[in-house]
Each structure stands twice: as C-alpha cells, then as structure tokens.
Amino acid sequence: MNIYDIAEKAGVSPSTVSRVLNDRGNVKESTKKKVLRIIEEENYIPSALARNLSVGECRNIAFLAPDIENPFFSKILHGISNRASQTGYGVFMFGTDEEPEREHQVLDSLLRDKPGGLIVIPVQEHDRLTAEKLKTLESEGIPVVLVDRDFQDASLDGVFSEDFQGARKGVACLIQAGHKKIGMIGGPVTSRPGRERRKGYETALREHDIRFREEYMVDGNFMEETSYQAMKKLMELTDPPTAVFTANNMATLGCLKYMKENDLKLVRDLALVGFDDIPELQYTDIQLTVVTRPIYDMGWEAMRLMEQRLKDKKELGENRKVVQRIMVRTGLVVRGSEAYPIGEGGTL
C-alpha cells in the first residue's frame, strides 16, 4: 500500500491523506477518522518521503547508489548527509545492486513519493528508461544531481572525478617501476568511470610504447566477486602479467582475496596499484599504492548543488536552465606495491 492506494480506498485526494498523516488542519473530523481507519486496517506504514506531499516544502533528498555495501558510496553519503544536516534536509539512501531494472523500480517509487530532490549514481550512462524517468522528475520540479557517474542522455548538474588522468597516473607508476606486462581489472564501459579508467590505462601503455594486450584487460564490473574471477583469469594465462591495475576499491579487494588464497605476495610475486584508497588496509601489513580522490567532498559538493537548485526553484519559480558540472582532481599515493617482483619478501 502507498499513499495513493489509501486515498483511493477512502475516496479522497492523496493530499488529504498526507494532511491526516502529518496531523495538519483543513480535514473534516469524519474524513480524518475514515482515513485513519483504513490506514489501521491495511497496516500501512507511511513513506517518510511521501509525508511532505502537500504540506509545504519537502526537506527529504533521495540518494540512489549502485552498491550500498561499497564503502566508496557510503563515503559519498557521509558527505551528502553532513552537508544536508547543516541546512535542515534529510537524506534517504536506495541501492540498485548495479542492476538497471532495480534502478527503474526505485525511480518509479520516487516518482510516486515526490522527494524534494534526487542525487543519483546511475548504473549505465545510456539507459533510455532511466533517462526518461530522470527527465520526468525534473519536469515535475524535482531537481536531479549526478555524482561520480555521468548520464549522456540528460543535461544534469553533477560532480565527477578525473578518472582518465587518475588511471593514467596509476598505470604510469607501474611502468616507471619497470613493468611492461600490466593487466587491468576494469569496470563496465557503460559507465563513465569504467570507460575513462580503461582509456587512461590504454593511453599510459601507448605513451610508453607498450603493446596493448586484449587478454590483459578483464572486466570486474566494480564488484568484489567478479573481480576475484577476473584476477583468476589473469593469473591463469600462459603469460600472466607482472602487475595489475584495479579500477576501483572492490576490484582491489577481489584481487587481494585471490592473492591471499593462492599464496601470492605483493612485491615478491606481483605488483598492484588500485583506484581509490581502502582505509582499512592501514591495519594490515599491506602497503598499497593507490589513486586517490576527495570522495567525501564529492558528496558534499553534490548536496551543495542540490541546495542551489532548490533555492533557484523557490526564488525563480522554476528549475534553472544553467547546468553546473564540477570536476575534482585525483592524486597518487605511492607506498611501494608498484615495485617490480623480486622473488622474495613481500606482504599479504
């Protein structure tokens, strides 16, 4: 049941149900009792997003992420939430498990519940149905802000990172350490990070006159288990790489899991550079060289853009037309895991 179902059963408008739920006036006592009776009979738990349907400005922001178990997205949520709390907004997180169908379902529910705005990390950048639903949200006065991943079929505000340059620097670091056989566990090229990081990998090889080998490029789909299987595929090649570049933190974890299970050690057997740091590794002996970026700040900036959109909507009476797109820089933290295998010592 949702607020519309309750309204239909009671023979009233959704806004009337919303006023009852929020204990606002302008509802006849008989109507209020009828609505409350139906709510009790149906064991209805009201959506926190729907509460603000007709009671003034909605202060709830939805955040849609592809993988709620990935600490990267939790860090973005941290930035969004801290900024939101300072200005009186609440944030609700939804996960799509990197599945377009699940993304469509969540967007449909948001179209019904009408949040104040949506901050979204889309699964794919060319999904026609997602594009239509995001455009519908915007047309109904619900601002949409992208973060981390772009969407090619919609002109939307967003915060992104220099994925191409970051991957290029990471792979160049391995090359400078003496590697020529470098594998990559990449992400889906249907997303901006997956495509740009692969392009950075290929560019670094080309700039150093190293031949691109198709068998060294394996898709890990930004997921730990898939990346584990990708690492297995690389290591079982007749001529395996001496170094691996992982396209995100979950790919790095899949790679490390495979190495642990197969008694492979960093520096001794294999070099590794990852995209995005994994803070938990500081409590281990693993000193991983990584491409870094200000993840928390990306969430903070996404919420700032959202607040600006909501302010413009309130002051101008319509969504503004100027699109803002912010690009944050990547860095490289060198800790030694990029070194050429020495056949002894090592960690992991």
Side-chain angles (χ1 to χ4, degrees), residues 63-81 91 93-98 119-123 147-149 191 193 197 221-223 248-250 276-277 293 295-296 298-299:
F63 173 46
L64 190 53
D67 182 6
I68 60 176
E69 294 185 357
N70 187 335
F72 169 80
F73 299 121
S74 298
K75 192 71 171 179
I76 286 183
L77 175 63
H78 189 193
I80 293 172
S81 298
V91 181
M93 185 176 185
F94 301 85
T96 57
D97 295 326
E98 296 283 6
I119 298 175
V120 58
I121 304 173
V123 176
V147 61
D148 187 46
R149 302 184 187 180
S191 72
R197 291 171 200 175
N221 200 36
F222 288 151
M223 306 292 279
N248 80 331
N249 57 339
M250 302 308 285
D276 285 334
D277 207 354
R293 51 183 171 157
I295 302 170
Y296 175 91
M298 291 174 69

mmCIF file of all heavy atoms in Angstrom, residues 63-81 91 93-98 119-123 147-149 191 193 197 221-223 248-250 276-277 293 295-296 298-299:
data_model
loop_
_atom_site.group_PDB
_atom_site.id
_atom_site.type_symbol
_atom_site.label_atom_id
_atom_site.label_comp_id
_atom_site.label_asym_id
_atom_site.label_seq_id
_atom_site.Cartn_x
_atom_site.Cartn_y
_atom_site.Cartn_z
ATOM 1 N N PHE A 63 18.951 9.569 -2.241
ATOM 2 C CA PHE A 63 20.281 9.271 -2.798
ATOM 3 C C PHE A 63 20.250 7.845 -3.337
ATOM 4 O O PHE A 63 20.007 6.896 -2.590
ATOM 5 C CB PHE A 63 21.353 9.423 -1.713
ATOM 6 C CG PHE A 63 22.728 8.970 -2.147
ATOM 7 C CD1 PHE A 63 23.253 9.350 -3.370
ATOM 8 C CD2 PHE A 63 23.501 8.153 -1.320
ATOM 9 C CE1 PHE A 63 24.532 8.926 -3.769
ATOM 10 C CE2 PHE A 63 24.768 7.731 -1.699
ATOM 11 C CZ PHE A 63 25.281 8.116 -2.930
ATOM 12 N N LEU A 64 20.489 7.720 -4.621
ATOM 13 C CA LEU A 64 20.416 6.425 -5.298
ATOM 14 C C LEU A 64 21.820 5.971 -5.673
ATOM 15 O O LEU A 64 22.506 6.626 -6.461
ATOM 16 C CB LEU A 64 19.540 6.561 -6.552
ATOM 17 C CG LEU A 64 19.136 5.288 -7.297
ATOM 18 C CD1 LEU A 64 18.500 4.291 -6.348
ATOM 19 C CD2 LEU A 64 18.159 5.635 -8.410
ATOM 20 N N ALA A 65 22.267 4.838 -5.096
ATOM 21 C CA ALA A 65 23.630 4.339 -5.298
ATOM 22 C C ALA A 65 23.610 2.920 -5.859
ATOM 23 O O ALA A 65 22.701 2.146 -5.564
ATOM 24 C CB ALA A 65 24.412 4.371 -3.990
ATOM 25 N N PRO A 66 24.618 2.550 -6.665
ATOM 26 C CA PRO A 66 24.634 1.225 -7.293
ATOM 27 C C PRO A 66 24.960 0.073 -6.351
ATOM 28 O O PRO A 66 24.594 -1.066 -6.620
ATOM 29 C CB PRO A 66 25.724 1.347 -8.368
ATOM 30 C CG PRO A 66 26.088 2.774 -8.431
ATOM 31 C CD PRO A 66 25.722 3.384 -7.132
ATOM 32 N N ASP A 67 25.677 0.350 -5.257
ATOM 33 C CA ASP A 67 26.128 -0.748 -4.381
ATOM 34 C C ASP A 67 26.258 -0.221 -2.966
ATOM 35 O O ASP A 67 27.277 0.381 -2.613
ATOM 36 C CB ASP A 67 27.461 -1.304 -4.883
ATOM 37 C CG ASP A 67 27.970 -2.480 -4.061
ATOM 38 O OD1 ASP A 67 27.237 -2.938 -3.170
ATOM 39 O OD2 ASP A 67 29.099 -2.943 -4.314
ATOM 40 N N ILE A 68 25.256 -0.450 -2.126
ATOM 41 C CA ILE A 68 25.260 0.124 -0.789
ATOM 42 C C ILE A 68 26.287 -0.541 0.123
ATOM 43 O O ILE A 68 26.573 -0.040 1.204
ATOM 44 C CB ILE A 68 23.860 0.063 -0.143
ATOM 45 C CG1 ILE A 68 23.378 -1.387 -0.017
ATOM 46 C CG2 ILE A 68 22.869 0.896 -0.927
ATOM 47 C CD1 ILE A 68 22.051 -1.518 0.686
ATOM 48 N N GLU A 69 26.856 -1.675 -0.298
ATOM 49 C CA GLU A 69 27.884 -2.334 0.500
ATOM 50 C C GLU A 69 29.282 -1.790 0.201
ATOM 51 O O GLU A 69 30.237 -2.096 0.917
ATOM 52 C CB GLU A 69 27.859 -3.847 0.245
ATOM 53 C CG GLU A 69 26.583 -4.525 0.735
ATOM 54 C CD GLU A 69 26.628 -6.023 0.573
ATOM 55 O OE1 GLU A 69 27.631 -6.533 0.029
ATOM 56 O OE2 GLU A 69 25.673 -6.690 0.985
ATOM 57 N N ASN A 70 29.403 -1.001 -0.841
ATOM 58 C CA ASN A 70 30.697 -0.444 -1.222
ATOM 59 C C ASN A 70 31.008 0.780 -0.352
ATOM 60 O O ASN A 70 30.254 1.756 -0.364
ATOM 61 C CB ASN A 70 30.665 -0.042 -2.700
ATOM 62 C CG ASN A 70 32.027 0.388 -3.210
ATOM 63 O OD1 ASN A 70 32.885 0.834 -2.460
ATOM 64 N ND2 ASN A 70 32.226 0.266 -4.508
ATOM 65 N N PRO A 71 32.103 0.756 0.412
ATOM 66 C CA PRO A 71 32.448 1.889 1.285
ATOM 67 C C PRO A 71 32.596 3.208 0.527
ATOM 68 O O PRO A 71 32.419 4.280 1.120
ATOM 69 C CB PRO A 71 33.782 1.457 1.906
ATOM 70 C CG PRO A 71 33.784 -0.033 1.826
ATOM 71 C CD PRO A 71 33.053 -0.363 0.554
ATOM 72 N N PHE A 72 32.917 3.148 -0.758
ATOM 73 C CA PHE A 72 33.038 4.371 -1.552
ATOM 74 C C PHE A 72 31.727 5.147 -1.542
ATOM 75 O O PHE A 72 31.699 6.360 -1.311
ATOM 76 C CB PHE A 72 33.442 4.028 -2.992
ATOM 77 C CG PHE A 72 33.335 5.188 -3.939
ATOM 78 C CD1 PHE A 72 34.325 6.157 -3.983
ATOM 79 C CD2 PHE A 72 32.246 5.333 -4.781
ATOM 80 C CE1 PHE A 72 34.231 7.240 -4.848
ATOM 81 C CE2 PHE A 72 32.134 6.403 -5.648
ATOM 82 C CZ PHE A 72 33.135 7.364 -5.680
ATOM 83 N N PHE A 73 30.623 4.442 -1.770
ATOM 84 C CA PHE A 73 29.328 5.109 -1.823
ATOM 85 C C PHE A 73 28.876 5.550 -0.432
ATOM 86 O O PHE A 73 28.177 6.554 -0.286
ATOM 87 C CB PHE A 73 28.291 4.194 -2.478
ATOM 88 C CG PHE A 73 28.649 3.820 -3.891
ATOM 89 C CD1 PHE A 73 28.820 2.498 -4.256
ATOM 90 C CD2 PHE A 73 28.846 4.791 -4.854
ATOM 91 C CE1 PHE A 73 29.171 2.150 -5.550
ATOM 92 C CE2 PHE A 73 29.210 4.460 -6.159
ATOM 93 C CZ PHE A 73 29.362 3.137 -6.504
ATOM 94 N N SER A 74 29.289 4.814 0.597
ATOM 95 C CA SER A 74 28.991 5.224 1.964
ATOM 96 C C SER A 74 29.703 6.534 2.293
ATOM 97 O O SER A 74 29.166 7.390 3.005
ATOM 98 C CB SER A 74 29.420 4.134 2.949
ATOM 99 O OG SER A 74 28.720 2.938 2.725
ATOM 100 N N LYS A 75 30.929 6.685 1.763
ATOM 101 C CA LYS A 75 31.686 7.910 1.993
ATOM 102 C C LYS A 75 31.019 9.093 1.292
ATOM 103 O O LYS A 75 30.971 10.209 1.830
ATOM 104 C CB LYS A 75 33.119 7.734 1.472
ATOM 105 C CG LYS A 75 34.088 8.832 1.922
ATOM 106 C CD LYS A 75 34.413 8.720 3.387
ATOM 107 C CE LYS A 75 35.531 9.663 3.797
ATOM 108 N NZ LYS A 75 35.850 9.578 5.221
ATOM 109 N N ILE A 76 30.494 8.861 0.096
ATOM 110 C CA ILE A 76 29.758 9.914 -0.598
ATOM 111 C C ILE A 76 28.515 10.287 0.201
ATOM 112 O O ILE A 76 28.189 11.468 0.377
ATOM 113 C CB ILE A 76 29.380 9.462 -2.027
ATOM 114 C CG1 ILE A 76 30.617 9.480 -2.928
ATOM 115 C CG2 ILE A 76 28.300 10.388 -2.611
ATOM 116 C CD1 ILE A 76 30.347 9.134 -4.367
ATOM 117 N N LEU A 77 27.804 9.269 0.704
ATOM 118 C CA LEU A 77 26.623 9.514 1.533
ATOM 119 C C LEU A 77 26.988 10.332 2.767
ATOM 120 O O LEU A 77 26.224 11.210 3.180
ATOM 121 C CB LEU A 77 25.995 8.181 1.946
ATOM 122 C CG LEU A 77 24.820 8.268 2.928
ATOM 123 C CD1 LEU A 77 23.654 9.031 2.309
ATOM 124 C CD2 LEU A 77 24.385 6.877 3.370
ATOM 125 N N HIS A 78 28.149 10.046 3.339
ATOM 126 C CA HIS A 78 28.611 10.797 4.508
ATOM 127 C C HIS A 78 28.716 12.285 4.185
ATOM 128 O O HIS A 78 28.254 13.145 4.950
ATOM 129 C CB HIS A 78 29.969 10.246 4.956
ATOM 130 C CG HIS A 78 30.439 10.784 6.267
ATOM 131 N ND1 HIS A 78 31.733 10.619 6.708
ATOM 132 C CD2 HIS A 78 29.804 11.499 7.236
ATOM 133 C CE1 HIS A 78 31.873 11.199 7.897
ATOM 134 N NE2 HIS A 78 30.723 11.743 8.236
ATOM 135 N N GLY A 79 29.324 12.587 3.032
ATOM 136 C CA GLY A 79 29.453 13.984 2.626
ATOM 137 C C GLY A 79 28.103 14.629 2.368
ATOM 138 O O GLY A 79 27.850 15.776 2.768
ATOM 139 N N ILE A 80 27.210 13.898 1.688
ATOM 140 C CA ILE A 80 25.866 14.415 1.404
ATOM 141 C C ILE A 80 25.118 14.689 2.711
ATOM 142 O O ILE A 80 24.531 15.759 2.901
ATOM 143 C CB ILE A 80 25.066 13.406 0.555
ATOM 144 C CG1 ILE A 80 25.673 13.272 -0.842
ATOM 145 C CG2 ILE A 80 23.598 13.829 0.445
ATOM 146 C CD1 ILE A 80 25.058 12.157 -1.679
ATOM 147 N N SER A 81 25.141 13.718 3.609
ATOM 148 C CA SER A 81 24.373 13.816 4.850
ATOM 149 C C SER A 81 24.862 14.943 5.748
ATOM 150 O O SER A 81 24.060 15.666 6.350
ATOM 151 C CB SER A 81 24.428 12.484 5.605
ATOM 152 O OG SER A 81 23.860 11.442 4.852
ATOM 153 N N VAL A 91 18.228 12.786 4.332
ATOM 154 C CA VAL A 91 18.690 12.022 3.171
ATOM 155 C C VAL A 91 18.293 10.558 3.322
ATOM 156 O O VAL A 91 18.482 9.968 4.389
ATOM 157 C CB VAL A 91 20.232 12.129 3.010
ATOM 158 C CG1 VAL A 91 20.692 11.342 1.780
ATOM 159 C CG2 VAL A 91 20.651 13.587 2.888
ATOM 160 N N MET A 93 18.798 6.767 1.471
ATOM 161 C CA MET A 93 19.641 6.052 0.512
ATOM 162 C C MET A 93 18.917 4.821 -0.032
ATOM 163 O O MET A 93 18.286 4.078 0.717
ATOM 164 C CB MET A 93 20.949 5.633 1.173
ATOM 165 C CG MET A 93 21.943 4.982 0.217
ATOM 166 S SD MET A 93 23.508 4.612 1.053
ATOM 167 C CE MET A 93 24.516 4.017 -0.312
ATOM 168 N N PHE A 94 19.022 4.619 -1.337
ATOM 169 C CA PHE A 94 18.461 3.450 -2.007
ATOM 170 C C PHE A 94 19.559 2.776 -2.823
ATOM 171 O O PHE A 94 20.392 3.456 -3.414
ATOM 172 C CB PHE A 94 17.312 3.854 -2.944
ATOM 173 C CG PHE A 94 16.180 4.562 -2.260
ATOM 174 C CD1 PHE A 94 16.234 5.936 -2.047
ATOM 175 C CD2 PHE A 94 15.072 3.868 -1.820
ATOM 176 C CE1 PHE A 94 15.198 6.600 -1.412
ATOM 177 C CE2 PHE A 94 14.029 4.521 -1.181
ATOM 178 C CZ PHE A 94 14.094 5.894 -0.976
ATOM 179 N N GLY A 95 19.561 1.450 -2.865
ATOM 180 C CA GLY A 95 20.561 0.715 -3.631
ATOM 181 C C GLY A 95 19.954 0.033 -4.846
ATOM 182 O O GLY A 95 18.793 -0.385 -4.822
ATOM 183 N N THR A 96 20.755 -0.074 -5.912
ATOM 184 C CA THR A 96 20.266 -0.700 -7.149
ATOM 185 C C THR A 96 21.033 -1.969 -7.513
ATOM 186 O O THR A 96 20.701 -2.619 -8.503
ATOM 187 C CB THR A 96 20.367 0.283 -8.334
ATOM 188 O OG1 THR A 96 21.728 0.718 -8.469
ATOM 189 C CG2 THR A 96 19.485 1.502 -8.103
ATOM 190 N N ASP A 97 22.074 -2.315 -6.736
ATOM 191 C CA ASP A 97 22.847 -3.541 -6.986
ATOM 192 C C ASP A 97 23.402 -3.617 -8.411
ATOM 193 O O ASP A 97 23.535 -4.705 -8.971
ATOM 194 C CB ASP A 97 21.994 -4.784 -6.701
ATOM 195 C CG ASP A 97 21.624 -4.901 -5.241
ATOM 196 O OD1 ASP A 97 22.448 -4.496 -4.402
ATOM 197 O OD2 ASP A 97 20.520 -5.380 -4.931
ATOM 198 N N GLU A 98 23.716 -2.449 -8.990
ATOM 199 C CA GLU A 98 24.252 -2.384 -10.357
ATOM 200 C C GLU A 98 23.295 -3.020 -11.380
ATOM 201 O O GLU A 98 23.722 -3.494 -12.426
ATOM 202 C CB GLU A 98 25.628 -3.059 -10.449
ATOM 203 C CG GLU A 98 26.728 -2.390 -9.632
ATOM 204 C CD GLU A 98 27.285 -1.132 -10.274
ATOM 205 O OE1 GLU A 98 26.745 -0.686 -11.306
ATOM 206 O OE2 GLU A 98 28.250 -0.570 -9.725
ATOM 207 N N ILE A 119 19.753 12.795 -5.722
ATOM 208 C CA ILE A 119 21.167 12.694 -6.055
ATOM 209 C C ILE A 119 21.392 11.252 -6.479
ATOM 210 O O ILE A 119 21.091 10.329 -5.720
ATOM 211 C CB ILE A 119 22.058 13.062 -4.857
ATOM 212 C CG1 ILE A 119 21.818 14.521 -4.450
ATOM 213 C CG2 ILE A 119 23.537 12.853 -5.200
ATOM 214 C CD1 ILE A 119 22.558 14.948 -3.194
ATOM 215 N N VAL A 120 21.911 11.038 -7.673
ATOM 216 C CA VAL A 120 21.940 9.684 -8.226
ATOM 217 C C VAL A 120 23.282 9.333 -8.848
ATOM 218 O O VAL A 120 23.937 10.177 -9.479
ATOM 219 C CB VAL A 120 20.804 9.495 -9.266
ATOM 220 C CG1 VAL A 120 20.916 10.515 -10.396
ATOM 221 C CG2 VAL A 120 20.790 8.078 -9.825
ATOM 222 N N ILE A 121 23.692 8.079 -8.638
ATOM 223 C CA ILE A 121 24.835 7.485 -9.326
ATOM 224 C C ILE A 121 24.248 6.420 -10.243
ATOM 225 O O ILE A 121 23.927 5.314 -9.785
ATOM 226 C CB ILE A 121 25.840 6.860 -8.343
ATOM 227 C CG1 ILE A 121 26.305 7.906 -7.320
ATOM 228 C CG2 ILE A 121 27.040 6.273 -9.089
ATOM 229 C CD1 ILE A 121 27.169 7.337 -6.211
ATOM 230 N N PRO A 122 24.021 6.720 -11.520
ATOM 231 C CA PRO A 122 23.322 5.779 -12.404
ATOM 232 C C PRO A 122 24.135 4.524 -12.707
ATOM 233 O O PRO A 122 25.363 4.545 -12.694
ATOM 234 C CB PRO A 122 23.077 6.607 -13.668
ATOM 235 C CG PRO A 122 24.151 7.646 -13.660
ATOM 236 C CD PRO A 122 24.401 7.965 -12.217
ATOM 237 N N VAL A 123 23.425 3.451 -12.990
ATOM 238 C CA VAL A 123 24.072 2.180 -13.314
ATOM 239 C C VAL A 123 24.762 2.269 -14.673
ATOM 240 O O VAL A 123 25.929 1.914 -14.829
ATOM 241 C CB VAL A 123 23.047 1.026 -13.314
ATOM 242 C CG1 VAL A 123 23.709 -0.284 -13.760
ATOM 243 C CG2 VAL A 123 22.446 0.864 -11.917
ATOM 244 N N VAL A 147 26.381 12.231 -9.401
ATOM 245 C CA VAL A 147 27.666 12.220 -8.707
ATOM 246 C C VAL A 147 28.430 10.972 -9.128
ATOM 247 O O VAL A 147 27.846 9.897 -9.280
ATOM 248 C CB VAL A 147 27.479 12.276 -7.168
ATOM 249 C CG1 VAL A 147 26.702 11.095 -6.657
ATOM 250 C CG2 VAL A 147 28.818 12.386 -6.446
ATOM 251 N N ASP A 148 29.718 11.124 -9.397
ATOM 252 C CA ASP A 148 30.645 10.059 -9.806
ATOM 253 C C ASP A 148 30.416 9.583 -11.239
ATOM 254 O O ASP A 148 31.329 9.567 -12.041
ATOM 255 C CB ASP A 148 30.582 8.870 -8.849
ATOM 256 C CG ASP A 148 31.646 7.829 -9.160
ATOM 257 O OD1 ASP A 148 32.811 8.228 -9.371
ATOM 258 O OD2 ASP A 148 31.337 6.630 -9.219
ATOM 259 N N ARG A 149 29.190 9.181 -11.577
ATOM 260 C CA ARG A 149 28.897 8.682 -12.914
ATOM 261 C C ARG A 149 28.022 9.664 -13.686
ATOM 262 O O ARG A 149 27.092 10.233 -13.133
ATOM 263 C CB ARG A 149 28.201 7.320 -12.845
ATOM 264 C CG ARG A 149 29.016 6.264 -12.109
ATOM 265 C CD ARG A 149 28.329 4.918 -12.155
ATOM 266 N NE ARG A 149 29.007 3.924 -11.330
ATOM 267 C CZ ARG A 149 28.608 2.665 -11.195
ATOM 268 N NH1 ARG A 149 27.539 2.234 -11.850
ATOM 269 N NH2 ARG A 149 29.269 1.831 -10.412
ATOM 270 N N SER A 191 29.597 2.774 -18.063
ATOM 271 C CA SER A 191 29.623 3.855 -17.082
ATOM 272 C C SER A 191 30.827 4.745 -17.350
ATOM 273 O O SER A 191 31.844 4.289 -17.885
ATOM 274 C CB SER A 191 29.706 3.293 -15.657
ATOM 275 O OG SER A 191 30.986 2.745 -15.403
ATOM 276 N N PRO A 193 33.095 6.122 -15.239
ATOM 277 C CA PRO A 193 34.351 5.689 -14.600
ATOM 278 C C PRO A 193 34.974 4.472 -15.279
ATOM 279 O O PRO A 193 36.189 4.423 -15.474
ATOM 280 C CB PRO A 193 33.922 5.356 -13.162
ATOM 281 C CG PRO A 193 32.697 6.178 -12.947
ATOM 282 C CD PRO A 193 31.988 6.180 -14.263
ATOM 283 N N ARG A 197 38.572 5.124 -17.087
ATOM 284 C CA ARG A 197 39.739 4.469 -16.467
ATOM 285 C C ARG A 197 40.390 3.487 -17.437
ATOM 286 O O ARG A 197 41.601 3.332 -17.446
ATOM 287 C CB ARG A 197 39.314 3.795 -15.159
ATOM 288 C CG ARG A 197 38.946 4.807 -14.098
ATOM 289 C CD ARG A 197 38.308 4.212 -12.864
ATOM 290 N NE ARG A 197 37.575 5.238 -12.131
ATOM 291 C CZ ARG A 197 36.836 5.038 -11.065
ATOM 292 N NH1 ARG A 197 36.711 3.805 -10.567
ATOM 293 N NH2 ARG A 197 36.199 6.035 -10.485
ATOM 294 N N ASN A 221 33.494 -5.541 -13.276
ATOM 295 C CA ASN A 221 32.166 -4.965 -13.023
ATOM 296 C C ASN A 221 32.097 -4.169 -11.715
ATOM 297 O O ASN A 221 31.028 -3.990 -11.142
ATOM 298 C CB ASN A 221 31.094 -6.063 -13.009
ATOM 299 C CG ASN A 221 29.700 -5.505 -13.249
ATOM 300 O OD1 ASN A 221 29.519 -4.575 -14.018
ATOM 301 N ND2 ASN A 221 28.712 -6.057 -12.557
ATOM 302 N N PHE A 222 33.246 -3.703 -11.228
ATOM 303 C CA PHE A 222 33.309 -2.927 -9.986
ATOM 304 C C PHE A 222 32.811 -3.713 -8.771
ATOM 305 O O PHE A 222 32.447 -3.125 -7.752
ATOM 306 C CB PHE A 222 32.495 -1.625 -10.103
ATOM 307 C CG PHE A 222 33.132 -0.590 -10.993
ATOM 308 C CD1 PHE A 222 32.341 0.322 -11.682
ATOM 309 C CD2 PHE A 222 34.506 -0.506 -11.148
ATOM 310 C CE1 PHE A 222 32.912 1.297 -12.497
ATOM 311 C CE2 PHE A 222 35.089 0.465 -11.951
ATOM 312 C CZ PHE A 222 34.283 1.366 -12.635
ATOM 313 N N MET A 223 32.773 -5.044 -8.871
ATOM 314 C CA MET A 223 32.283 -5.888 -7.783
ATOM 315 C C MET A 223 33.384 -6.828 -7.311
ATOM 316 O O MET A 223 34.219 -7.289 -8.099
ATOM 317 C CB MET A 223 31.074 -6.706 -8.234
ATOM 318 C CG MET A 223 29.937 -5.873 -8.831
ATOM 319 S SD MET A 223 29.108 -4.823 -7.627
ATOM 320 C CE MET A 223 28.021 -6.017 -6.868
ATOM 321 N N ASN A 248 38.703 -0.056 -9.196
ATOM 322 C CA ASN A 248 38.046 0.545 -8.031
ATOM 323 C C ASN A 248 38.389 -0.248 -6.777
ATOM 324 O O ASN A 248 39.086 -1.266 -6.843
ATOM 325 C CB ASN A 248 36.530 0.663 -8.230
ATOM 326 C CG ASN A 248 35.781 -0.635 -7.973
ATOM 327 O OD1 ASN A 248 36.327 -1.718 -8.151
ATOM 328 N ND2 ASN A 248 34.530 -0.527 -7.553
ATOM 329 N N ASN A 249 37.883 0.180 -5.639
ATOM 330 C CA ASN A 249 38.242 -0.456 -4.372
ATOM 331 C C ASN A 249 37.752 -1.899 -4.275
ATOM 332 O O ASN A 249 38.438 -2.767 -3.730
ATOM 333 C CB ASN A 249 37.696 0.368 -3.195
ATOM 334 C CG ASN A 249 36.190 0.578 -3.256
ATOM 335 O OD1 ASN A 249 35.569 0.470 -4.311
ATOM 336 N ND2 ASN A 249 35.599 0.895 -2.117
ATOM 337 N N MET A 250 36.551 -2.184 -4.812
ATOM 338 C CA MET A 250 36.028 -3.543 -4.742
ATOM 339 C C MET A 250 36.837 -4.486 -5.634
ATOM 340 O O MET A 250 37.043 -5.662 -5.304
ATOM 341 C CB MET A 250 34.551 -3.570 -5.133
ATOM 342 C CG MET A 250 33.668 -2.679 -4.268
ATOM 343 S SD MET A 250 33.860 -2.959 -2.486
ATOM 344 C CE MET A 250 32.978 -4.496 -2.287
ATOM 345 N N ASP A 276 41.263 4.298 -5.858
ATOM 346 C CA ASP A 276 40.584 4.562 -4.581
ATOM 347 C C ASP A 276 41.258 3.825 -3.436
ATOM 348 O O ASP A 276 41.528 2.624 -3.525
ATOM 349 C CB ASP A 276 39.093 4.197 -4.608
ATOM 350 C CG ASP A 276 38.267 5.218 -5.394
ATOM 351 O OD1 ASP A 276 38.698 6.382 -5.478
ATOM 352 O OD2 ASP A 276 37.201 4.840 -5.912
ATOM 353 N N ASP A 277 41.506 4.574 -2.398
ATOM 354 C CA ASP A 277 42.162 4.019 -1.220
ATOM 355 C C ASP A 277 41.197 3.141 -0.421
ATOM 356 O O ASP A 277 39.974 3.269 -0.537
ATOM 357 C CB ASP A 277 42.664 5.160 -0.324
ATOM 358 C CG ASP A 277 43.862 4.749 0.505
ATOM 359 O OD1 ASP A 277 44.234 3.555 0.485
ATOM 360 O OD2 ASP A 277 44.440 5.634 1.165
ATOM 361 N N ARG A 293 41.156 10.322 -4.489
ATOM 362 C CA ARG A 293 40.314 11.465 -4.832
ATOM 363 C C ARG A 293 39.506 11.843 -3.588
ATOM 364 O O ARG A 293 39.301 11.008 -2.702
ATOM 365 C CB ARG A 293 39.389 11.146 -6.005
ATOM 366 C CG ARG A 293 38.599 9.858 -5.834
ATOM 367 C CD ARG A 293 37.761 9.556 -7.051
ATOM 368 N NE ARG A 293 37.170 8.225 -6.979
ATOM 369 C CZ ARG A 293 36.091 7.862 -7.640
ATOM 370 N NH1 ARG A 293 35.482 8.733 -8.419
ATOM 371 N NH2 ARG A 293 35.626 6.635 -7.536
ATOM 372 N N ILE A 295 36.599 11.808 -1.936
ATOM 373 C CA ILE A 295 35.278 11.180 -2.043
ATOM 374 C C ILE A 295 34.240 11.908 -1.188
ATOM 375 O O ILE A 295 33.133 12.214 -1.650
ATOM 376 C CB ILE A 295 35.360 9.695 -1.642
ATOM 377 C CG1 ILE A 295 36.376 8.972 -2.537
ATOM 378 C CG2 ILE A 295 33.994 9.035 -1.753
ATOM 379 C CD1 ILE A 295 36.698 7.564 -2.070
ATOM 380 N N TYR A 296 34.595 12.183 0.065
ATOM 381 C CA TYR A 296 33.680 12.898 0.960
ATOM 382 C C TYR A 296 33.266 14.236 0.345
ATOM 383 O O TYR A 296 32.098 14.622 0.368
ATOM 384 C CB TYR A 296 34.351 13.107 2.312
ATOM 385 C CG TYR A 296 33.572 13.940 3.299
ATOM 386 C CD1 TYR A 296 32.686 13.352 4.195
ATOM 387 C CD2 TYR A 296 33.739 15.325 3.345
ATOM 388 C CE1 TYR A 296 31.979 14.119 5.112
ATOM 389 C CE2 TYR A 296 33.031 16.099 4.248
ATOM 390 C CZ TYR A 296 32.156 15.499 5.130
ATOM 391 O OH TYR A 296 31.452 16.266 6.024
ATOM 392 N N MET A 298 33.107 15.024 -2.734
ATOM 393 C CA MET A 298 32.209 14.839 -3.873
ATOM 394 C C MET A 298 30.756 14.799 -3.396
ATOM 395 O O MET A 298 29.864 15.387 -4.017
ATOM 396 C CB MET A 298 32.566 13.560 -4.628
ATOM 397 C CG MET A 298 33.899 13.626 -5.360
ATOM 398 S SD MET A 298 34.386 12.055 -6.109
ATOM 399 C CE MET A 298 33.169 11.886 -7.420
ATOM 400 N N GLY A 299 30.510 14.091 -2.285
ATOM 401 C CA GLY A 299 29.160 14.065 -1.734
ATOM 402 C C GLY A 299 28.727 15.426 -1.230
ATOM 403 O O GLY A 299 27.598 15.869 -1.455
#
